[in-house]
Amino acid sequence: MKTIKVSFRVNDETVAFQVKPYETLLETLRERIDLIGSKEACGMGACGACTVIVDGIPLRSCLVLTPEVNGASITTVEGLAKDGNLHPLQEAFMEKGAVQCGFCTSGMIMTAKALLDRNKKPTQKEVIKTMSSNICRCTGYKKIVEAVEYAASRRTSAG
Amino acid sequence: MILPKFDYKKAEDIAAAIALYERSKGRACYLAGGTDLIPLLKLRLSEPSAMIDLKGIPQLKTISRKGNSLVIGPNVTLFELKNHETVKDYFPALYESLDATSCETLQMRGTIGGNILQNTRCLLYNKSLDWRTARGFCYKMGGETCNVVPNAAACFSNYCSDNALSLLSLSASVKLAGPEGERKIKLEKLFSKDGRNPFTLKPGEILTEFHIPFKRSTGAYEKLRVRNAIDYPLLGVAVSMIGGKGKVCVGGIGPAPLVYDLKDLSGAGLKEVAQQARQEARPVSNTTLSAGYRKKMVNVLTQRAIKRALKEGK
Amino acid sequence: MKDDLNIVGKRVVRSDSLAKVTGRARYTADLKFPNMLVAKVLRSPLPHARILGIDLTAALKVPGVKAAISGFDTYGVKWGVFRYTQDHDMLPTDKVRYIGEDVAAVAAVDEETALEALSRIQVDYEPLPAVFEPNEAMQEGAPQIHDAYKNNINVHVHINVGDVDKAMSEAFLVREDTFKAAGEAYAMMEPYAVVASYANGFLDLWMPNAGPHVRAKALSNLLKMPLNRVRVRHINSGGAFGGRSEVSPGDLVASLLSIKAGRPVRLALSREENATSTRQVHDMIATVKTGMSKDGAIMAKDYRVIYDGGAYSSTGPIATSIPFYVYEECYRFPNVRYNGYRVFTNKGIRGMYGCHGRAFIAGNEAQMDLMGKELGMDPVDIRLKNGLTSGEVTATQSKITSCGLAETIATASERTNFKEKWTKTSKGKGIGMGCIAIMCGFPMGFRSGSSCYVKMNDDGQATLVTGLVDNGQGNESMVIQVASEILGIPMEDVNLVNADTEATNLDPGAYSQAAAFVGANAVRIACENARKKIVAIAAEKLGVKEADIDLRDRMAFSRKTPGKNMRISWVVREAFFRGDPIVATGTYFPSIDFEREWVSRPWGQMAGTFSFGTSVAEVRIDGQTGKITVPHFTAAHDCGRPINPMAVEGQMEGSIQQAGIATIMEENLWNKGFLLNPDLLEYKVPLACDMPEIETIIVSSIDPEGPFGAKEGGLTIRMNAYSAIACAVANATGTLFSELPLTPDRVLNILERKKGAKK
Ligand SMILES: Cc1cc2nc3c(=O)[nH]c(=O)nc-3n(C[C@H](O)[C@H](O)[C@H](O)COP(=O)(O)OP(=O)(O)OC[C@H]3O[C@@H](n4cnc5c(N)ncnc54)[C@H](O)[C@@H]3O)c2cc1C
C-alpha cells in the first residue's frame, strides 16, 4: 500500500511524514515523534488515555487516522508547559494529588484542558460530566475533579 | 492495536465520494467520525479496501431550516447538534438522547450520520478476530449459526444508537444519494430488521440529510446503562409528542428500533403501549445485564419516558 | 524518634508526579531500543486440549521474522510460588488449559510482520472435555485439568480452632448463608508489556511488576540462568492492584525471543490479551455459618469457601487464605473452622487482588447485621462488641499491637449519623457498614524484610538505594519523604535508585501491604544511621553535644544556639576528607513467625502490625429498575501515622471506586470459557459520574514499630468498601443478597422476591 504525505502542527512545530493510510494518530505520535505521553490503554476509544486536542477538540487519538489530521493543529500533553512553566492544570494535578499510577493522567489533563478552553468556569457538575469521558483505575476521581476545579479557579482569578 | 491495510481518500463533494466508491468496486467504506467504524476495523470485523472520508464535504456539516423541516447534515457532531439553539427547545427527546450518548469527548467526534448508521452490536460479536475465530463465526460474521441463541434462524445483535430512537419519535426522514441517484425515505425505512446487515442502504449510498418536521415537541429519552457515561444503551426509549399525539420508540434490543404511535393518552392507553413494547422486544443474553431484566425494563422505561414527555407538555 | 516533623505527615506533592503530568514518565511500552523487535503471541483457542505438535517453520520463513518460539524451546521448568504448587508451564507442551493461554510467539521487525507470521504457525490440538465451574470441577469424573490434583482441588486450607461444633450447639443464634461473587478484572490502565534485551550473556528486563526480585528469581529458574544475569530494571507501572505480583508468561516469551534473536524485544499486550491472558480475580462461593451468644458475641464461625482458581496454582495458598485472615484479624472468634478450597477450572490464570474476597467478607458482615438485628443490636454495637482491641490475639495466634478499629467505627458512624439512619430506613434508602483489618506484610521467608543503602553525595544530596517498588500508590515518594525528614534535606535533594535487581537489595514487594511498614522502615533505619554519622561530625566541628544537633533545611545546627551551624554538604565533604564517606545501610525485618505456612501450619504471628478501617455507604435504590446509586461514602482508616495524608486519601478514594462502586457493577462475564468482557467498555470500571460524595477520615494510631508510626495506606478500605455497599443494600431491601455484584437485574430480583414473599 502506498503511503500518504501528511503534515500538521504538533505542539507548535510543523511536522511532515509519509504515513501508512491506516496509521492511527496515536501510533504516529508515539512511534514517529516519540510523544509517548499519550497512552494506549484500550485502543478502542473506551478509556480516553490517548486523548489529544486537535483544532480545539479533544479526540481519542487511537480512533483517528493520521491522514485525517492533515493540516490540523494538535496539542499533546507534552505541549502544555510553556517556557518552562507548567500549565495550571498540570500544577493542579500535582498539588491536589490527582496523580497515582499516571497512565490515565495525560488523557485526563487533555480532556480537562479542552473543557477549560471552552468553558472558563465550569461548575463541579460540568467538570464531572466532562471527566466522565475518561477512565481512571486508581484515584476514585475525587482529586482529579478537585484539580480541574482548582485550575479553573486559579486561571480565572489570574484573569 | 494496529489497523488492517486500507487506502485513505478524502472526498470534496458528494459526487466525488460516490465516484471514489464506484472506483473501489464496492469495497470502500465511508468514514465520518470513525468512532463506530475504527473499533470494528481494529477487530477485523470489516476489511474495506479504502476509507472515503466525508468530513471534507462542507454541505454535510450544516444545519438549516428548509420549509417546514430542520435539515441536519450527517457530519454534524453529536455535540454540535446537542448545543444547537433549536434542539433543546423544539426536540427535547433528541436533546436528551444526544446528551446520553457515550461521553462528551466521543460526542465531539461522533457524527449524527455515523450514529444512525452504526453497526449492530453483540457481546459475542464485538471481539478480536482471534477471540471470534476460537468461538466460531456467527451469522453476522458470515457463519451459519448464532452463538447466543442456539438454532436461532436470525441474528439477535442489538442496534444501539441512542439518537435513532429520538429521531424516529420525531418522524424524521433521510435523504440518500448513491450511484443510482437520490431518494428520500422515512427514517423507519432505513432499517432492514436483519442484524447481519441492518440497513436498507444500497451499495455506495451516502446519507446526505436528516429532515425533522420543525414543530415544537415535548419529549423524553430514557436510557438503561450500567455506568452513567460511555456505555451504549442496553435499552433506550424515546418519546416525542406534538399536539396530543406522539411516538414511542424502543431500541437497544434487537437489530432495529420498535416504533409505536401514541394516540390514546389515558392511563390505560399508555400502559398498553408499554405492555405491547415489552411483548415485542426480544432481548437475548448478548449484553451485560440479563435478557429477562431488559425485557421488564422496556415496560418501566417506556412508561417513564411517556410520563415525562406528558409532564413537560403541561 | 522525632516528633516535631517537617515533612512526614504533610500533604506533599508526590515526587513522581511531575514526570507524569508532563507525559515524560516512561512505562514499559514507551521504551525503544536500537534494533528492537516486536513480539506477538499465539494463544490457545481451546479451553482444554492436548498439544500434539507445534510447527513454527512457516512463520520463520516470513521475511522480517527474527525468532519464533514455543514451549519446546523452554527447559520445561514450571512456575509456582511454592514448591508444592509448581504446575505452571508458562509455554506448555502437554496441554492448553484455558482460552488465551500462551502457546507460541514470534519476534519480527514490526507488528504487521509478526501478525502475519503468527497466522502461519501450525498447532495440532486434540480437544479435551473442559470444565468451567468449580462445583462441577470438584465432582468425581470431571475432566482432570492437572494429573497431580485429584478432583481438581488445587489447595485446601484447613483451619480449626477451638470446638466449633460444641460452640454452635451452645449458641443462642445460629445462621448459615451462602454468598457468591463473580471475579473482577484488575483492569489496570496499563496493558501488560515486557521489554527484554539479551546481550553478552545478560538479560535486562522491564515490565510492570510489584516486586522485581521475585520476578528475576522466577525467570532465572525458568531460563536456567544465574540470578545475576537476569536483571529486572526500574520502570513506572500503570497500576497493579495485586495483578502484577507474579511472573507472567509474557516475561518468558519476551526473554526467550530476545535470547534467540539477540536483539531487544518488546511485547505489548492488547487490552483484550491483558484481560484474558494476564491474571484475573477469583470468583468465589462462600458458605458462612455463625453462632452468636445472646449478647451478640460471636461464639463460632464455620466456613466453607470455594475459589475458582482458573487453570494454574498461581498464589493459590495465599489467595485461598487471605479473605479469612483479614477477617479474623478484625474480629474475635473463640471457635472457628475454615475450609477453603481452590479449584482448577479451564479459565484464565488468577492472582491476588487488592479487593480479594468480597463474597466472603461482605457476606460475613451482612449476616452479622442480620443476626445483630435479631438480638436487638445495630451494626455499630455488634462490631464494637466483636472487634479486636490492641493486645488481643487472633484465632490463629497473631498478636494485635496498635489498633484503632473502635475509633474508626465510632468516627465513621458519628459522621454519618449511622445509628439513626440505619434504624429509620425510608423506602429505597439504606446505610451499611463494613470493617476489616489488614496485615502489613506476611511471612515470605528471607524476602519478608527490606534493606536500604543511603549515601550522601558531596553537595549534601542523598541517594537511596532500595528494592521497594511503586505501582502508582506513591511508595517512591513516601520513602523520599522519610529520608528527607531524617536527613534534614528537602525532598528534591533525595535521589532514588529503586526496584532494580542489579543495584538494589531484597524487598517484600508491593503486594503484601509492606511498603510502608517494612520498606520505608528499612529506609528510615538506613537514614537514621547516616544521620548519626552526620551528627557526630557536626557536633565535633561545632563544638556541641551530639544530642544538641538537629538537621533541617540542608543545615546541621545546635538546637540550643542555632547560630552554631554548618551546611550538611560541608559535613559530607569533611567525611570524604576523612576517608570515611557517609554511607549507611538499614534493614527491617518484621517480627513474624517464620514457621507459619499457609497450608501446613496456619498459625503464628502473621505480620508485624495490622491496619484497621471502617467504611459506611449510603445507597438509594430505584424500586422499579433496581438501579443503585450511592450518594455518600465515608471511610475511616487507621493507617498508623499517614506519611502523606494526601496519598493515603487517594488510596482510600480509589478503594471506594474499585471495591465500593465495583460492588454494583464490576464482574467478569464468562461463557464456555470465553471471557465476554475483556475490554474497558463492557467491563465496568466506574466513572467520575458514578462516584459518590466521599469523605475520608484518617485515624492515626501511632504504631510503635512503623516508620514514624506508619502502617499501611488504604487497603482496609479496599477490603471493606464492598461490605459497606452490600450491607447498605441489605438495609434498604431488608433482605440478604446472595450474589455480587449488585447489578440492577440482581437487585430487582431481590426486590421482587421480597414482594413475592410478602404477598
Ligand atoms: C466507547 C464508545 C462508546 C459509545 N457509546 C455510544 C452510545 O452510548 N450511544 C451511541 O449511540 N453510540 C455510541 N458509540 C458509537 C459512536 O461513537 C457513535 O454512534 C457516533 O455517533 C458514531 O459516529 P461517527 O461519525 O464516529 O461514525 P463512523 O464510525 O464514522 O461511521 C459509522 C458508520 O456509518 C457510516 N457512515 C457515516 N456517515 C455516513 C454517511 N453520511 N453516509 C453513509 N454512511 C455513513 C460509516 O461508513 C460507518 O459504517 C460509542 C462508541 C465508543 C467507541
Side-chain angles (χ1 to χ4, degrees):
Chain A
M1 187 94 27
K2 65 178 195 311
T3 56
I4 295 187
K5 184 161 188 292
V6 173
S7 153
F8 53 84
R9 280 182 80 70
V10 57
N11 302 334
D12 295 332
E13 252 177 67
T14 302
V15 291
F17 331 89
Q18 290 291 135
V19 301
K20 295 175 282 189
Y22 50 94
E23 187 167 317
T24 64
L25 178 57
L26 180 61
E27 279 175 80
T28 305
L29 294 174
R30 288 179 55 86
E31 303 293 340
R32 289 189 195 270
I33 32 184
D34 291 331
L35 293 173
I36 48 113
S38 309
K39 302 296 180 202
E40 174 159 332
C42 78
M44 302 289 285
C47 75
C50 62
T51 305
V52 300
I53 298 178
V54 179
D55 293 335
I57 307 271
L59 294 187
R60 280 147 148 74
S61 61
C62 74
L63 298 186
V64 175
L65 304 177
T66 305
E68 288 180 272
V69 300
N70 190 23
S73 177
I74 300 175
T75 309
T76 72
V77 70
E78 289 91 345
L80 289 185
K82 289 266 147 51
D83 310 322
N85 297 318
L86 294 179
H87 186 276
L89 274 164
Q90 292 175 309
E91 281 178 350
F93 268 63
M94 291 175 69
E95 282 173 34
K96 293 288 164 188
V99 181
Q100 290 192 25
C101 88
F103 212 77
C104 77
T105 304
S106 8
M108 286 284 179
I109 291 180
M110 297 317 286
T111 302
K113 175 169 192 299
L115 170 68
L116 299 192
D117 287 350
R118 66 175 182 270
N119 181 354
K120 293 262 169 308
K121 194 91 210 329
T123 62
Q124 186 180 73
K125 236 174 139 181
E126 286 169 334
V127 171
I128 291 176
K129 187 170 188 177
T130 300
M131 299 316 285
S132 296
S133 298
N134 296 46
I135 297 178
C136 167
R137 187 55 160 168
C138 298
T139 63
Y141 306 100
K142 185 176 176 195
K143 295 193 179 335
I144 291 178
V145 171
E146 279 170 11
V148 178
E149 291 184 271
Y150 179 64
S153 71
R154 283 193 30 193
R155 274 232 296 205
T156 31
S157 62
Chain B
M1 218 190 285
I2 60 170
L3 283 160
K5 288 194 170 80
F6 53 73
D7 204 354
Y8 170 89
K9 301 273 183 227
K10 191 161 183 172
E12 265 149 36
D13 57 43
I14 294 171
I18 296 171
L20 283 168
Y21 179 85
E22 288 183 299
R23 232 174 292 146
S24 81
K25 304 191 183 74
R27 296 194 50 236
C29 189
Y30 295 123
L31 174 69
T35 59
D36 175 58
L37 192 51
I38 301 290
L40 296 176
L41 298 172
K42 285 195 170 180
L43 299 172
R44 309 304 192 258
L45 283 163
S46 163
E47 302 210 30
S49 62
M51 288 290 135
I52 303 166
D53 191 349
L54 304 177
K55 286 190 294 297
I57 306 176
Q59 178 192 341
L60 299 182
K61 271 192 243 183
T62 55
I63 304 180
S64 59
R65 274 207 51 191
K66 270 191 209 150
N68 292 330
S69 296
L70 185 73
V71 179
I72 304 165
N75 279 356
V76 173
T77 68
L78 304 179
F79 197 74
E80 286 161 351
L81 188 55
K82 179 170 89 175
N83 293 317
H84 190 262
E85 68 242 4
T86 55
V87 169
K88 198 172 184 176
D89 267 9
Y90 276 69
F91 315 117
L94 179 59
Y95 178 83
E96 288 187 12
S97 69
L98 289 163
D99 195 45
T101 305
S102 57
C103 59
E104 236 178 54
T105 302
L106 284 165
Q107 287 167 20
M108 294 177 121
R109 177 71 172 176
T111 65
I112 185 68
N115 187 271
I116 302 311
L117 292 171
Q118 66 177 280
N119 211 331
T120 55
R121 306 178 61 81
C122 169
L123 262 190
L124 281 80
Y125 174 75
N126 296 87
K127 289 285 177 289
S128 73
L129 180 60
D130 288 345
W131 197 104
R132 290 181 292 113
T133 309
R135 182 66 194 221
F137 280 13
C138 68
Y139 285 134
K140 197 166 164 63
M141 307 165 199
E144 291 296 306
T145 181
C146 168
N147 283 336
V148 179
V149 183
N151 307 320
C155 167
F156 284 91
S157 56
N158 301 308
Y159 177 64
C160 295
S161 163
D162 287 299
N163 306 300
L165 307 178
S166 47
L167 286 175
L168 283 166
S169 77
L170 292 163
S171 309
S173 46
V174 291
K175 239 172 124 176
L176 307 165
E180 293 166 30
E182 277 196 350
R183 57 183 181 133
K184 190 175 164 194
I185 58 171
K186 286 195 164 151
L187 180 53
E188 271 150 280
K189 300 279 177 221
L190 195 61
F191 301 100
S192 70
K193 304 197 165 121
D194 179 348
R196 283 173 294 193
N197 188 6
F199 303 108
T200 56
L201 281 185
K202 295 179 189 153
E205 262 183 335
I206 296 176
L207 199 168
T208 54
E209 283 172 6
F210 289 95
H211 290 241
I212 311 178
F214 199 78
K215 285 186 203 140
R216 198 183 286 267
S217 66
T218 62
Y221 181 67
E222 288 283 334
K223 176 169 178 172
L224 180 70
R225 52 182 159 178
V226 175
R227 300 181 290 193
N228 290 320
I230 300 186
D231 287 0
Y232 282 92
L234 294 159
L235 160 67
V237 183
V239 176
S240 291
M241 316 267 314
I242 298 169
K245 276 198 293 184
K247 276 191 174 165
V248 177
C249 307
V250 176
I253 296 181
L258 302 170
V259 184
Y260 303 96
D261 284 326
L262 199 56
K263 288 180 199 129
D264 175 2
L265 298 184
S266 70
L270 305 182
K271 275 202 178 131
E272 201 187 298
V273 171
Q275 201 50 41
Q276 194 189 346
R278 175 184 168 151
Q279 252 157 34
E280 285 173 12
R282 302 230 179 294
V284 299
S285 303
N286 60 359
T287 63
T288 53
L289 299 181
S290 78
Y293 172 77
R294 285 165 68 223
K295 195 166 172 71
K296 276 183 209 156
M297 286 309 107
V298 173
N299 195 338
V300 173
L301 295 198
T302 303
Q303 293 205 40
R304 273 192 189 178
I306 297 176
K307 268 190 206 141
R308 281 210 296 118
L310 288 176
K311 208 197 251 161
E312 251 187 63
K314 279 177 191 151
Chain C
M1 196 187 296
K2 301 189 357 166
D3 293 325
D4 52 334
L5 302 175
N6 296 317
I7 292 155
V8 162
K10 300 277 173 342
R11 304 175 72 83
V12 301
V13 169
R14 276 172 51 165
S15 60
D16 54 329
S17 54
L18 178 62
K20 288 174 179 175
V21 299
T22 50
R24 297 261 144 65
R26 296 205 159 223
Y27 299 79
T28 305
D30 301 333
L31 295 178
K32 255 189 195 174
F33 291 115
N35 281 324
M36 188 162 84
L37 300 172
V38 175
K40 281 277 156 194
V41 178
L42 184 70
R43 304 188 175 280
S44 169
L46 298 167
H48 199 191
R50 208 170 295 291
I51 297 173
L52 302 177
I54 304 175
D55 187 355
L56 305 172
T57 6
L60 281 163
K61 282 190 190 138
V62 175
V65 170
K66 302 296 171 190
I69 53 153
S70 73
F72 297 102
D73 297 285
T74 73
Y75 291 100
V77 180
K78 292 178 179 170
W79 156 252
V81 177
F82 302 92
R83 246 178 230 122
Y84 57 92
T85 61
Q86 287 172 352
D87 52 35
H88 190 181
D89 208 340
M90 295 215 149
L91 276 171
T93 50
D94 60 339
K95 295 204 287 186
V96 287
R97 292 174 175 84
Y98 67 93
I99 294 165
E101 183 161 8
D102 302 55
V103 173
V106 298
V109 290
D110 58 33
E111 194 170 335
E112 282 175 81
T113 312
L115 286 173
E116 171 64 32
L118 274 197
S119 71
R120 306 217 184 168
I121 295 176
Q122 279 289 331
V123 186
D124 285 333
Y125 294 108
E126 176 196 329
L128 297 169
V131 61
F132 307 114
E133 294 305 325
N135 276 331
E136 289 166 25
M138 289 168 89
Q139 303 297 318
E140 279 307 324
Q144 272 288 118
I145 298 173
H146 293 269
D147 293 340
Y149 300 93
K150 194 164 169 341
N151 296 337
N152 296 309
I153 296 176
N154 162 229
V155 176
H156 176 200
V157 173
H158 177 68
I159 293 163
N160 199 350
V161 178
D163 189 339
V164 170
D165 298 323
K166 182 159 170 282
M168 285 289 182
S169 72
E170 289 167 7
F172 177 76
L173 200 62
V174 176
R175 212 192 139 99
E176 182 181 309
D177 298 287
T178 296
F179 306 93
K180 273 176 78 171
E184 301 101 302
Y186 295 96
M188 53 292 263
M189 289 309 288
E190 178 191 21
Y192 197 66
V194 193
V195 169
S197 175
Y198 182 80
N200 310 318
F202 287 87
L203 178 65
D204 287 305
L205 288 153
W206 294 259
M207 81 286 274
N209 70 78
H213 292 95
V214 287
R215 193 69 67 110
K217 177 63 185 148
L219 284 166
S220 98
N221 290 351
L222 298 181
L223 297 163
K224 294 205 172 186
M225 281 173 71
L227 185 52
N228 73 318
R229 303 210 152 216
V230 181
R231 305 183 293 207
V232 174
R233 301 301 196 182
H234 176 268
I235 189 81
N236 286 299
S237 140
F241 317 112
R244 300 296 189 225
S245 306
E246 288 171 75
V247 64
S248 180
D251 304 347
L252 179 68
V253 164
S255 300
L256 284 173
L257 287 170
S258 179
I259 291 169
K260 274 232 154 151
R263 289 167 66 164
V265 168
R266 175 168 85 191
L267 172 66
L269 302 196
S270 68
R271 174 56 49 185
E272 182 179 301
E273 287 176 295
N274 188 68
T276 61
S277 310
T278 70
R279 293 185 193 273
Q280 302 161 351
V281 179
H282 296 71
D283 313 58
M284 49 191 295
I285 308 165
T287 301
V288 179
K289 187 175 174 187
T290 306
M292 260 186 200
S293 67
K294 205 169 177 176
D295 64 352
I298 296 167
M299 295 177 67
K301 285 274 190 187
D302 195 359
Y303 294 121
R304 181 183 154 87
V305 187
I306 295 172
Y307 299 80
D308 183 342
Y312 295 98
S313 275
S314 170
T315 44
I318 307 178
T320 314
S321 309
I322 292 287
F324 170 75
Y325 287 119
V326 293
Y327 208 59
E328 73 129 26
E329 289 156 7
C330 188
Y331 296 112
R332 201 174 300 114
F333 302 152
N335 303 282
V336 59
R337 184 162 51 213
Y338 176 80
N339 281 299
Y341 298 92
R342 188 178 189 273
V343 182
F344 285 131
T345 58
N346 290 111
K347 299 203 300 229
I349 52 178
R350 273 103 207 269
M352 281 297 302
Y353 184 41
C355 327
H356 182 53
R358 58 183 178 170
F360 178 84
I361 297 167
N364 265 286
E365 291 278 280
Q367 188 195 53
M368 178 151 74
D369 287 352
L370 217 65
M371 294 177 78
K373 199 172 181 184
E374 264 191 79
L375 299 172
M377 291 174 86
D378 65 35
V380 175
D381 293 339
I382 197 128
R383 280 168 180 73
L384 288 171
K385 168 100 195 164
N386 290 289
L388 289 172
T389 52
S390 118
E392 281 193 84
V393 175
T394 71
T396 66
Q397 297 168 31
S398 273
K399 189 168 174 188
I400 304 292
T401 50
S402 68
C403 176
L405 175 64
E407 219 183 320
T408 63
I409 296 175
T411 0
S413 56
E414 277 159 27
R415 294 276 180 98
T416 52
N417 198 7
F418 186 92
K419 284 180 169 241
E420 195 186 316
K421 285 186 188 154
W422 190 78
T423 345
K424 292 190 201 139
T425 49
S426 53
K427 201 164 177 269
K429 278 190 181 173
I431 189 166
M433 175 178 280
C435 296
I436 211 71
I438 298 288
M439 60 284 255
C440 302
F442 46 65
M444 290 190 287
F446 64 88
R447 290 197 183 87
S448 314
S450 180
S451 303
C452 168
Y453 307 101
V454 57
K455 73 181 174 88
M456 298 302 295
N457 303 318
D458 47 351
D459 53 354
Q461 297 191 1
T463 299
L464 296 180
V465 183
T466 163
L468 175 127
V469 60
D470 196 332
N471 297 125
Q473 312 92 324
N475 291 338
E476 292 179 357
S477 184
M478 170 180 66
V479 295
I480 289 176
Q481 225 180 322
V482 166
S484 155
E485 180 71 49
I486 298 171
L487 297 171
I489 56 176
M491 283 176 72
E492 64 262 28
D493 284 11
V494 182
N495 310 291
L496 189 63
V497 174
N498 71 308
D500 176 316
T501 60
E502 187 183 26
T504 71
N505 234 317
L506 282 178
D507 177 86
Y511 40 76
S512 60
Q513 304 81 245
F517 190 70
V518 180
N521 234 342
V523 171
R524 170 187 64 90
I525 294 166
C527 292
E528 280 173 357
N529 290 337
R531 180 187 167 99
K532 274 183 210 142
K533 296 186 179 182
I534 298 171
V535 166
I537 295 178
E540 184 194 321
K541 285 271 173 200
L542 298 173
V544 300
K545 291 221 167 76
E546 286 184 17
D548 183 34
I549 294 283
D550 200 0
L551 309 182
R552 184 178 292 192
D553 300 333
R554 303 190 174 108
M555 301 295 287
F557 61 95
S558 156
R559 286 196 184 92
K560 280 190 209 131
T561 34
K564 288 190 178 180
N565 60 48
M566 66 191 290
R567 290 174 188 277
I568 291 174
S569 58
W570 294 357
V571 178
V572 174
R573 287 172 197 175
E574 174 67 21
F576 277 118
F577 204 56
R578 295 178 181 189
D580 187 13
I582 296 176
V583 292
T585 64
T587 291
Y588 184 77
F589 249 82
S591 13
I592 47 185
D593 183 346
F594 290 105
E595 299 294 302
R596 200 185 168 117
E597 205 287 327
W598 300 95
V599 176
S600 61
R601 190 179 176 276
W603 65 83
Q605 189 68 31
M606 170 72 82
T609 195
F610 303 86
S611 65
F612 297 86
T614 300
S615 282
V616 171
E618 292 170 64
V619 303
R620 275 201 202 133
I621 304 177
D622 181 326
Q624 285 184 312
T625 63
K627 187 158 173 166
I628 297 174
T629 44
V630 187
H632 294 284
F633 200 106
T634 307
H637 178 32
D638 158 25
C639 61
R641 188 203 296 271
I643 292 180
N644 180 353
M646 202 158 68
V648 175
E649 285 164 16
Q651 287 299 301
M652 293 167 77
E653 289 155 9
S655 300
I656 292 165
Q657 173 190 8
Q658 198 172 23
I661 306 308
T663 309
I664 62 176
M665 51 178 78
E666 284 192 37
E667 61 183 319
N668 266 344
L669 298 170
W670 294 90
N671 181 284
K672 299 183 188 166
F674 285 87
L675 185 56
L676 294 178
N677 50 352
D679 49 50
L680 291 178
L681 181 62
E682 301 300 354
Y683 186 83
K684 307 299 182 186
V685 173
L687 304 172
C689 56
D690 302 312
M691 293 300 294
E693 210 171 83
I694 290 176
E695 185 179 5
T696 52
I697 305 159
I698 295 176
V699 172
S700 336
S701 71
I702 306 298
D703 188 82
E705 271 284 298
F708 298 97
K711 301 204 269 196
E712 161 289 308
L715 204 81
T716 59
I717 310 308
R718 210 151 284 226
M719 292 284 234
N720 68 23
Y722 38 68
S723 307
I725 297 272
C727 290
V729 173
N731 177 239
T733 58
T735 344
L736 220 48
F737 56 91
S738 57
E739 206 174 343
L740 299 178
L742 290 160
T743 48
D745 43 356
R746 293 195 180 100
V747 175
L748 197 68
N749 271 340
I750 296 178
L751 295 174
E752 285 178 350
R753 249 187 286 133
K754 172 106 192 191
K755 253 194 226 153
K758 263 198 198 149
K759 269 179 203 159

